Amino acid sequence: MTATPQAEARMTAQFLQALAACLPAEGLVLDEAGRRAYECDALTLFRRLPGVVAIPEEIAQVQAILRLCDDYGVPVVARGAGTGLSGGALPHAEGVLLNLSRLDATLEIDPDRRLARVGAGVRNLAISQAAAPHGLYFAPDPSSQVASTLGGNIAENAGGVHCLKYGLTVNNVVAATLITIDGERLTLGSPLGEAPGLDLLALIHGSEGLLGVVVEAWVELLPLPRDKRVLLAGFAEVTDCAEAVAAIIAAGVVPAGLELMDRAAVVAVEAMVQQGWPCDLGALLICELDGSAAEVTAQSERVTALLKTHGADHLESATDPAEQARIWSVRKAAFPAIARLAPDTLVMDGSVPRRRLAAVLTRIIALAEAYGLRVFNTFHAGDGNIHPVILFDSRLEGELERAESLGQAILRLCVEEGGSITGEHGVGAEKVDAMCDQFSAAELRQFEAIKAAFDPRGLLNPGKLIPTLNRCAELGHLHVKDGRFPHPELPRF
Amino acid sequence: MTATPQAEARMTAQFLQALAACLPAEGLVLDEAGRRAYECDALTLFRRLPGVVAIPEEIAQVQAILRLCDDYGVPVVARGAGTGLSGGALPHAEGVLLNLSRLDATLEIDPDRRLARVGAGVRNLAISQAAAPHGLYFAPDPSSQVASTLGGNIAENAGGVHCLKYGLTVNNVVAATLITIDGERLTLGSPLGEAPGLDLLALIHGSEGLLGVVVEAWVELLPLPRDKRVLLAGFAEVTDCAEAVAAIIAAGVVPAGLELMDRAAVVAVEAMVQQGWPCDLGALLICELDGSAAEVTAQSERVTALLKTHGADHLESATDPAEQARIWSVRKAAFPAIARLAPDTLVMDGSVPRRRLAAVLTRIIALAEAYGLRVFNTFHAGDGNIHPVILFDSRLEGELERAESLGQAILRLCVEEGGSITGEHGVGAEKVDAMCDQFSAAELRQFEAIKAAFDPRGLLNPGKLIPTLNRCAELGHLHVKDGRFPHPELPRF
């Protein structure tokens, strides 16, 4: 009853023949060059050649493939566009890589009910594009949205810069069709919004393909905001900027987006985009407000006053779309601007309580110094989701290992500060060990039991998300927190 | 591995002695008169005397009791204030009734983070009262909120008239402490809002005490709305009123509340409260709007225009609190006004797609005529949650049975129309058979497997929420819907 990988190889010739019979002619990839295209997702540090790649075009084919894998005891890793950042779609060497990107034929917009019925292989942005003629859009907007698919968004419970106000994928999906490892088709949730029984729809979000394969979903569409304003504020001190963030949220304003960049990130961006900011800018905050015109004006006045109170010494306010796009381009330039400063970068993802943002930043800078590496910080500040970027040069002996150690140290810091080891990138293969820091043995056992309730033999995406207790014991990280609720550090804030 | 009740009685003298040792002096109720107080919840049609009642005052006592029940194989039914309407807290004759109402000592408001840490026994309204001095409140407001407790609200995933805009309990809780049947303490979710791993927090909401016992939670608090307006509209035809509801939602307005009463309900209320409405009023709609002053004004103009377009011939708009309270009192008078018209009433709860409201109403009226019984309708129209009230006289031979049959027929009608057998009252003991209509065999098997992953011997609240497949087969209701997604009728709307 554990979620550990099955060791035995069962991909016999007979299995492969039966698999081919489940698929369209071009749907089976056996040759190494073809399989090579699937050896990693966007976490390119982790690579493994899949045993075989299957590309179904219909739901019934997915059912047949899973039933077959179940019969033969062959592991299955589902994959959308492969844009995941934690190795959730890292293949199994003795298993099937199930490419779902061709489940993209279904995209029905129901403007009256503000719902869309969407195949798992449909790209995130394509949903909003199809909804736009009706004045509607799909709110979750991960930065991968041009490429990433709804199935992957559900598996990772993707967010985006607007999730502060509009929630994660789970908050915008009302029903999903799940295929279980034995090929059964389950309807989770309901297009009505609520369904009786156990809430398996929420459970499946962020489950990283360990419980079943989502092939289709009903998603909610929102009316396009009637008005929008983007504010940009510069601060001499990052602590003041972090305080301003906390004050905005405490005032009851929920911005559509609230992004913070630290001094190092600002300098890197300024070097690239040349906005003419003062050189001594300690931090930059971008705040997007949306809603009715009256609402946006009222919120904008409120936020501007709070920014000034907290010491913003550079303020811009953009009302027209071109000007707004220019401000957002600054944030979007951050990762490329940082990346050009070193041969290699490691983008971290964690979350911390908003009140601890300034303290966490200080601790990260100290850690970076101790490890002798440079770290740049850009945060989704509104929800405390941090993305430190570690610069390193893998050609230098031991520097990759040092960067990875620093990354682990940053994640442990997040947990210590009452936060979590992932904000939005998921656990996948990358952070499965860090789950030992995050959860108690009893909690991990409960995850294992739920996994076994869907997939008793552990064939679905083995080795991801849920560490074995043995592995945690090996790491010496098993976190016993019985009797303390829920993160002992939290009541301090 | 099923969720069926354990047949054997294991409440030995030794067990009772050990149970007493887990509890404070007054915490064990053995005498029949004392146990009688717990024989039913607010669904008084279902009664059963519990084997014993345990009233813990601390979380550690809950852990000890569950561990003991697990050791002895004794069933446990958790109960808050007993205000549930579907018999979810119906006791087990050979088990422990676990009264959690004294877990009410913890009520800590954190205004900066807009969170509260709350014991399971704290009353719903007490949270908002404690938050009020900070300009905050707890959004879920079931009509039982004066009495019902947070633990019960989580177990039933309670809603209320404002859930259209502010969501159900699950949307307002960020973390919970769950005690499992083996006495382990799990932290589900995080006060930060998001936690990695499987989403057990959402899973526990609405699970009706079948997976574990929630003893404490962190809930989100919202800023009290700065402005509020209540509109009341009378329509000659209920179909026009239902169309107006659909039009308001389609226009992207999300009212804080949107309540519809049919002609029969209006007549009953008018007879009691004498508002001087025209006698030919076919339906009444109450619409509450909240937000900033500018937002409320803008929405109010929009809604008023839509109401007029759809034929509202009586319109009132209330801006001051006293006038608003008067309008809401009309809605609140509905159940008492209807109840005085017959010796007995059966309050139904179901949900249907908004677009089908008018058609459903017509079908319910036809069903009522066929059964020779009177039905009054009051709906949470915005989310399609219907509450038909069946009037009957249990002193007349066979009338209770006829009322119950009509109730079942109304629930089947909801499922046929693409809706669900419960909108907000839960499944409990009352509707466990109706789950056979709602779900496929594969879906019910998955529910059973999840239940077993928490509670392999089925000791927690046996006989509720999840029917056995044998029971469904017995009823001849087993719903096979393989290959159709998700409710075959839905694409019509």
Side-chain angles (χ1 to χ4, degrees):
Chain A
M1 299 283 278
T2 68
T4 49
Q6 304 285 309
E8 300 156 65
R10 291 183 181 151
M11 284 194 12
T12 58
Q14 197 188 9
F15 170 79
L16 291 173
Q17 199 174 3
L19 182 62
C22 301
L23 288 162
E26 308 288 301
L28 191 74
V29 181
L30 284 165
D31 64 299
E32 191 182 322
R35 287 181 290 138
R36 185 67 65 196
Y38 296 94
E39 66 175 356
C40 66
D41 57 19
L43 181 73
T44 54
L45 277 176
F46 288 59
R47 289 171 193 269
R48 192 185 291 144
L49 206 58
V52 64
V53 177
I55 315 177
E57 292 177 351
E58 288 165 20
I59 292 174
Q61 293 164 0
V62 176
Q63 288 180 280
I65 293 166
L66 291 179
R67 212 175 284 129
L68 189 70
C69 289
D70 197 27
D71 287 347
Y72 284 79
V74 172
V76 195
V77 177
R79 173 186 167 116
T83 55
L85 287 158
S86 55
L90 182 72
H92 193 287
E94 300 289 340
V96 175
L97 189 287
L98 189 64
N99 175 356
L100 298 168
S101 63
R102 293 208 191 141
L103 291 184
D104 61 350
T106 303
L107 179 49
E108 300 168 12
I109 307 292
D110 181 338
D112 283 345
R113 293 197 295 159
R114 291 205 268 113
L115 292 178
R117 181 177 162 179
V118 184
V122 172
R123 290 174 308 106
N124 173 296
L125 192 61
I127 307 173
S128 289
Q129 285 168 341
H134 307 284
L136 300 170
Y137 78 114
F138 180 53
D141 58 347
S143 56
S144 61
Q145 70 173 156
V146 175
S148 67
T149 59
L150 181 64
N153 292 170
I154 290 173
E156 297 292 335
N157 196 18
V161 292
H162 294 98
C163 70
L164 175 60
K165 182 165 183 177
Y166 296 106
L168 300 168
T169 303
V170 68
N171 306 113
N172 294 275
V173 172
V174 294
T177 300
L178 182 84
I179 310 301
T180 58
I181 186 66
D182 51 359
E184 291 282 359
R185 185 180 178 136
L186 309 185
T187 299
L188 316 181
S190 155
L192 290 182
E194 284 308 317
L198 298 175
D199 187 354
L200 305 190
L201 180 66
L203 182 65
I204 217 74
H205 280 81
S207 66
E208 302 191 356
L210 268 77
L211 307 184
V213 175
V214 171
V215 288
E216 197 169 78
W218 285 89
V219 308
E220 277 187 313
L221 303 173
L222 297 182
L224 286 161
R226 272 162 291 162
D227 199 14
K228 196 184 278 190
R229 192 160 316 172
V230 180
L231 306 175
L232 181 142
F235 291 82
E237 295 300 331
V238 72
T239 44
D240 291 339
C241 184
E243 284 299 316
V245 167
I248 291 167
I249 302 295
V253 177
V254 185
L258 196 55
E259 300 287 311
L260 183 156
M261 290 160 60
D262 76 349
R263 185 187 307 271
V266 172
V267 170
V269 172
E270 174 64 15
M272 189 164 94
V273 300
Q274 295 169 1
Q275 296 285 317
W277 297 321
C279 305
D280 60 346
L281 222 47
L284 205 68
L285 189 68
I286 297 175
C287 175
E288 180 174 305
L289 301 165
D290 68 9
S292 66
E295 207 180 334
V296 169
T297 303
Q299 289 194 345
S300 174
E301 284 165 10
R302 200 135 190 226
V303 170
T304 303
L306 287 167
L307 291 170
K308 286 181 179 161
T309 310
H310 286 83
D313 53 12
H314 177 92
L315 263 172
E316 298 178 25
S317 168
T319 49
D320 78 281
E323 189 62 9
Q324 291 173 356
R326 188 189 61 76
I327 293 182
W328 272 118
S329 73
V330 167
R331 169 64 178 79
K332 285 179 184 150
F335 287 108
I338 294 165
R340 64 184 201 147
L341 301 179
D344 299 291
T345 55
L346 194 59
V347 180
M348 303 302 300
D349 169 55
S351 75
V352 297
R354 272 190 306 269
R355 289 261 159 214
R356 301 298 296 166
L357 275 176
V360 165
L361 204 52
T362 308
R363 289 187 65 186
I364 290 175
I365 291 165
L367 271 175
E369 277 172 19
Y371 278 81
L373 291 168
R374 278 190 299 169
V375 174
F376 293 69
N377 289 289
T378 67
F379 296 176
H380 303 310
D383 45 13
N385 183 193
I386 69 172
H387 290 308
V389 183
I390 303 170
L391 299 193
F392 67 101
D393 184 345
S394 58
R395 296 163 307 184
L396 300 179
E397 176 71 22
E399 200 155 301
L400 167 62
E401 293 69 23
R402 212 156 74 243
E404 289 185 321
S405 294
L406 172 56
Q408 295 305 315
I410 290 174
L411 294 185
R412 278 196 297 276
L413 185 163
C414 289
V415 175
E416 277 171 34
E417 292 283 354
S420 122
I421 57 160
T422 168
E424 59 180 14
H425 293 176
V427 173
E430 183 194 20
K431 292 184 178 172
V432 65
D433 285 350
M435 291 288 278
C436 305
D437 288 324
Q438 186 85 56
F439 293 100
S440 72
E443 287 157 1
L444 292 172
R445 266 197 301 270
Q446 193 60 61
F447 287 156
E448 278 189 352
I450 297 281
K451 161 71 171 169
F454 281 89
D455 177 23
R457 288 193 288 160
L459 296 176
L460 291 164
N461 214 5
K464 318 287 171 66
L465 188 62
I466 306 172
T468 63
L469 290 175
N470 283 346
R471 175 66 182 152
C472 293
E474 232 173 79
L475 293 168
H477 278 323
L478 199 56
H479 183 185
V480 178
K481 59 173 179 179
D482 251 23
R484 286 179 294 160
F485 174 81
H487 299 287
E489 299 79 12
L490 274 179
R492 281 195 284 130
F493 315 131
Chain B
M1 298 284 276
T2 66
T4 50
Q6 302 288 307
E8 300 155 65
R10 289 178 182 156
M11 284 193 13
T12 58
Q14 197 188 9
F15 169 79
L16 291 173
Q17 199 174 5
L19 182 62
C22 300
L23 288 162
E26 308 289 301
L28 192 73
V29 181
L30 284 165
D31 63 300
E32 191 183 321
R35 287 181 289 137
R36 185 67 65 194
Y38 296 95
E39 66 176 355
C40 66
D41 58 18
L43 181 73
T44 53
L45 277 175
F46 289 58
R47 289 171 192 269
R48 195 186 289 143
L49 206 59
V52 63
V53 177
I55 315 176
E57 292 176 353
E58 290 166 18
I59 292 174
Q61 292 164 0
V62 176
Q63 290 180 279
I65 293 166
L66 291 179
R67 212 175 284 128
L68 189 70
C69 288
D70 197 27
D71 287 346
Y72 283 79
V74 173
V76 195
V77 177
R79 174 187 165 115
T83 55
L85 287 159
S86 55
L90 182 72
H92 193 288
E94 300 288 340
V96 175
L97 189 286
L98 190 64
N99 175 357
L100 297 168
S101 62
R102 295 210 190 139
L103 291 184
D104 61 352
T106 303
L107 179 50
E108 299 168 13
I109 306 293
D110 182 337
D112 283 345
R113 293 197 296 156
R114 291 205 270 112
L115 291 178
R117 180 177 163 180
V118 184
V122 171
R123 291 174 306 107
N124 173 297
L125 192 60
I127 306 171
S128 289
Q129 285 168 341
H134 307 283
L136 300 170
Y137 77 112
F138 179 53
D141 58 347
S143 58
S144 61
Q145 71 173 155
V146 175
S148 68
T149 60
L150 181 63
N153 292 171
I154 291 172
E156 297 291 334
N157 195 18
V161 293
H162 295 97
C163 69
L164 175 60
K165 182 164 182 177
Y166 297 106
L168 299 168
T169 303
V170 68
N171 306 113
N172 295 275
V173 172
V174 293
T177 301
L178 182 83
I179 310 303
T180 58
I181 188 65
D182 51 359
E184 291 282 359
R185 185 179 176 136
L186 309 185
T187 299
L188 315 181
S190 155
L192 290 181
E194 283 308 315
L198 298 175
D199 187 354
L200 305 190
L201 180 64
L203 183 65
I204 218 73
H205 280 80
S207 66
E208 304 193 353
L210 268 77
L211 306 184
V213 175
V214 171
V215 289
E216 197 169 77
W218 285 88
V219 307
E220 277 187 313
L221 303 173
L222 297 182
L224 285 161
R226 272 162 292 160
D227 199 13
K228 194 183 280 190
R229 192 161 316 174
V230 179
L231 307 175
L232 181 143
F235 291 82
E237 295 299 329
V238 72
T239 44
D240 292 340
C241 184
E243 284 300 316
V245 167
I248 290 167
I249 303 295
V253 177
V254 185
L258 197 55
E259 300 287 311
L260 182 157
M261 289 160 59
D262 76 350
R263 184 188 306 270
V266 172
V267 170
V269 172
E270 173 65 16
M272 191 165 93
V273 301
Q274 294 169 3
Q275 296 284 317
W277 297 320
C279 304
D280 60 346
L281 223 48
L284 205 69
L285 189 68
I286 297 175
C287 175
E288 180 173 306
L289 301 164
D290 69 9
S292 66
E295 208 181 334
V296 168
T297 302
Q299 288 195 346
S300 172
E301 283 165 10
R302 200 140 188 221
V303 170
T304 303
L306 287 168
L307 291 171
K308 285 181 180 162
T309 309
H310 285 84
D313 54 12
H314 178 94
L315 265 172
E316 298 178 25
S317 168
T319 48
D320 77 283
E323 189 62 9
Q324 292 173 356
R326 187 189 62 77
I327 291 182
W328 272 117
S329 71
V330 168
R331 169 65 178 78
K332 285 179 183 147
F335 286 109
I338 294 164
R340 63 182 201 149
L341 301 179
D344 299 291
T345 56
L346 195 57
V347 180
M348 304 302 300
D349 169 55
S351 74
V352 296
R354 272 191 304 270
R355 291 259 159 215
R356 299 298 295 167
L357 276 177
V360 165
L361 204 52
T362 307
R363 289 186 64 186
I364 290 175
I365 291 165
L367 272 176
E369 276 172 20
Y371 279 81
L373 292 168
R374 279 192 296 170
V375 174
F376 292 72
N377 288 290
T378 68
F379 295 176
H380 302 311
D383 45 13
N385 184 192
I386 68 171
H387 290 308
V389 184
I390 302 170
L391 300 194
F392 66 102
D393 184 344
S394 58
R395 295 164 307 183
L396 300 179
E397 177 71 22
E399 200 155 302
L400 167 62
E401 292 71 22
R402 212 155 74 242
E404 288 185 321
S405 295
L406 173 56
Q408 296 304 314
I410 290 173
L411 294 185
R412 277 196 299 276
L413 185 164
C414 289
V415 175
E416 277 171 33
E417 292 283 352
S420 121
I421 56 160
T422 168
E424 61 179 12
H425 293 175
V427 174
E430 183 194 20
K431 293 182 178 173
V432 65
D433 285 349
M435 292 287 278
C436 304
D437 288 324
Q438 186 85 54
F439 292 100
S440 72
E443 287 157 2
L444 292 172
R445 265 196 302 270
Q446 194 59 62
F447 287 157
E448 278 190 352
I450 298 280
K451 161 71 171 169
F454 282 89
D455 177 23
R457 288 193 288 159
L459 296 176
L460 291 163
N461 213 5
K464 318 286 172 66
L465 188 62
I466 306 173
T468 63
L469 290 177
N470 284 345
R471 175 65 182 154
C472 292
E474 234 173 77
L475 292 169
H477 279 321
L478 199 57
H479 183 185
V480 177
K481 61 174 179 181
D482 250 24
R484 286 178 293 161
F485 175 80
H487 299 285
E489 299 77 13
L490 273 181
R492 282 195 282 130
F493 317 131

